[in-house]
């Protein structure tokens, strides 16, 4: 093309007075880049078509590319940190990232990225508002057990304020800290509640098996509940451990006799033609669990066996029931 010029960015041939390169979309100055008459376009040989070249990206020190990378990385960090909140974050597709980094005019892409940040912030704020409601309910439960949560309430407000004012990273960091502390306090409370219920159940099972517990189960439940409601978790743990130790010591003395008597009861029923193999296995398993150090599990099995099969002291044998049935019905 006589009198033509070439693009200073990619070397593609340009028609006269072209303002934007059709290959790389870079801006050109037609007055400054117009070639002398008769000269061949740069990068081409006469009669040969210049092979299409790949659109180059901006220089490595392009301020827009650096800023774009920083902003996209920040949005990705928000998305990772906001996962526990269940937030679906907007993302810029990979092809759009490549196009934005290679764009000679970055302003439109800058506005796109800003729009993504605004959408992300809006969704995170909405998620924080829902999280605030649920978390304050959790705090109310802790406070019912005298667990101090004033700091966590203040931090919830701080997180919401930070999210609304655009400091999303700080808001998410505060969210994780608050959620971790509350979960820890809940775990301690739940463990104390579980220990209380287990020791009360142990005492009740002892009483049901005819082995006198160290203290009345109803009174123990009331006293330990008072300690729990007062937030005295350390004192509660000491009391439950002491009660369990006392109960186990009594069971070591009284349980072998109970197992022996119940075994005799099953043998008696078997002599009358009643199958008791399963009950005998359950009796042995319960005793084995107890003497292996799993007192609660052992007594739970023995109590369940008693409830299902009865005891010689509170019901007649099955053989007697069968023998009595026809006589009563005649």
């Amino acid at each position: 093309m006589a009198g033509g010029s070439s693009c200073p960015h990619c070397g593609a041939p340009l028609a006269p007075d072209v303002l934007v390169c059709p290959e790389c979309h870079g801006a050109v100055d037609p007055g400054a880049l117009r070639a002398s008459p008769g000269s061949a376009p740069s990068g081409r040989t006469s009669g040969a078509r210049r092979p299409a070249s790949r659109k180059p990206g901006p220089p490595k020190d392009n301020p827009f590319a650096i800023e774009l990378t920083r902003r996209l990385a920040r949005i990705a960090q928000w998305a990772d940190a906001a996962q526990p909140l269940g937030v679906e974050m907007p993302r810029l597709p990979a092809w759009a990232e490549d196009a934005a980094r290679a764009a000679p005019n970055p302003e439109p892409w800058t506005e796109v990225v800003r729009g993504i940040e605004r959408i992300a912030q809006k969704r995170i704020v909405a998620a924080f508002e829902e999280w605030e409601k649920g978390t304050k309910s959790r705090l109310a439960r802790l406070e019912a057990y005298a667990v101090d949560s004033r700091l966590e309430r203040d931090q919830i407000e701080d997180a919401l304020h930070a999210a609304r004012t655009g400091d999303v990273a700080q808001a998410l960091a505060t969210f994780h800290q608050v959620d971790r502390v509350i979960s820890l306090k809940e775990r301690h409370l739940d463990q104390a509640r579980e220990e209380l219920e287990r020791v009360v159940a142990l005492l009740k099972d002892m009483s049901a098996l005819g082995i006198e517990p160290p203290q009345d189960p109803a009174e123990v439940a009331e006293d330990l509940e008072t300690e729990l409601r007062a937030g005295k978790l350390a004192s509660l743990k000491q009391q439950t451990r002491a009660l369990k130790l006392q109960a186990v010591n009594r069971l070591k003395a009284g349980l072998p006799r109970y197992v022996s008597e119940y075994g005799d009861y099953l043998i008696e029923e078997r002599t009358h033609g009643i199958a008791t193999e399963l009950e005998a296995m359950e009796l042995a398993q319960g005793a084995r669990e107890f003497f292996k150090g799993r007192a609660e599990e052992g007594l739970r099995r023995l109590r369940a066996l008693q409830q299902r099969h009865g005891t010689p002291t509170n019901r007649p044998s099955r053989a007697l029931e069968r023998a009595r049935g026809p006589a009563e019905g005649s």
Side-chain angles (χ1 to χ4, degrees):
M1 180 187 301
S5 61
S6 61
C7 176
H9 305 293
C10 67
L14 299 177
D17 299 325
V18 169
L19 299 178
V20 178
C21 174
E23 289 290 332
C24 70
H25 305 289
V28 296
D29 183 352
L33 298 177
R34 183 175 290 118
S36 61
S39 63
S42 174
R44 300 185 66 190
T45 59
S46 177
R49 182 178 180 84
R50 181 184 183 275
S53 60
R54 185 176 180 181
K55 300 175 186 178
K60 293 183 179 180
D61 58 349
N62 186 330
F64 171 71
I66 297 173
E67 178 65 12
L68 175 68
T69 301
R70 186 185 68 80
R71 285 177 175 269
L72 294 177
R74 181 171 61 182
I75 294 173
Q77 289 173 353
W78 290 359
D80 292 340
Q83 280 185 355
L85 290 168
V87 182
E88 184 177 352
M89 299 286 283
R91 292 290 187 97
L92 192 66
W95 67 264
E97 289 188 28
D98 294 340
R101 289 190 173 93
N105 180 18
E107 188 58 34
W109 288 107
T110 302
E111 188 56 35
V112 170
V113 175
R114 288 173 183 164
I116 291 176
E117 289 177 337
R118 287 193 294 269
I119 295 172
Q121 180 185 356
K122 184 177 179 180
R123 292 182 181 180
I124 288 174
V125 169
F128 266 121
E129 291 171 349
E130 291 299 317
W131 168 71
E132 178 191 25
K133 297 175 184 177
T135 304
K136 286 187 174 179
S137 297
R138 295 166 64 189
L139 292 179
R141 174 177 176 261
L142 291 173
E143 290 164 353
Y145 290 89
V147 178
D148 186 17
S149 60
R150 289 171 294 180
L151 177 59
E152 286 73 36
R153 287 188 177 274
D154 291 342
Q155 289 177 323
I156 291 173
E157 299 299 329
D158 292 343
L160 269 171
H161 176 73
R164 288 168 178 160
T165 56
D167 194 354
V168 177
Q170 180 59 45
L172 290 168
T174 303
F175 152 71
H176 282 285
Q177 179 182 352
V178 171
D179 192 67
R180 183 168 55 250
V181 171
I182 293 177
S183 297
L184 181 62
K185 291 182 177 181
E186 287 176 329
R187 184 160 62 249
H188 288 165
L189 178 61
D190 292 341
Q191 288 174 349
R193 164 67 63 187
E194 182 181 354
E195 291 175 0
L196 184 158
E197 293 175 349
R198 287 173 61 183
V199 75
V200 171
L202 179 64
L203 299 182
K204 288 182 178 179
D205 288 343
M206 288 181 65
S207 181
L209 297 180
I211 303 172
E212 185 178 359
Q215 295 184 35
D216 180 75
E219 294 180 359
V220 167
E222 183 177 353
D223 292 343
L224 294 182
E225 183 68 27
T226 300
E227 293 286 290
L228 185 61
R229 291 282 176 180
K232 300 178 180 179
L233 302 187
S235 173
L236 177 65
K237 179 171 289 190
Q238 291 178 352
Q239 293 185 55
T240 53
R241 287 179 177 175
L243 281 168
K244 182 178 178 180
L245 180 60
Q246 295 173 20
V248 169
N249 288 335
R250 291 201 179 190
L251 285 166
K252 286 180 179 178
L255 193 63
R257 179 179 177 182
Y258 174 85
V259 172
S260 177
E261 290 179 352
Y262 205 95
D264 292 342
Y265 165 54
L266 295 178
I267 292 174
E268 179 187 358
E269 291 208 323
R270 190 169 59 185
T271 60
H272 290 86
I274 301 173
T276 59
E277 288 80 4
L278 293 178
E279 287 79 4
M281 290 175 59
E282 188 66 20
L283 178 68
Q285 183 64 31
R288 188 178 302 113
E289 291 289 341
F290 175 80
F291 288 107
K292 283 185 175 181
R294 296 186 284 269
E296 295 94 340
E297 176 64 17
L299 259 69
R300 186 188 65 79
R301 286 179 173 274
L302 295 176
R303 176 76 184 278
L305 173 62
Q306 181 196 74
Q307 291 174 331
R308 184 175 64 252
H309 193 72
T311 63
T313 58
N314 63 15
R315 55 167 283 188
S317 69
R318 293 183 183 178
L320 293 177
E321 286 178 349
R322 291 179 179 178
R324 188 180 301 168
E328 290 177 351
S330 60

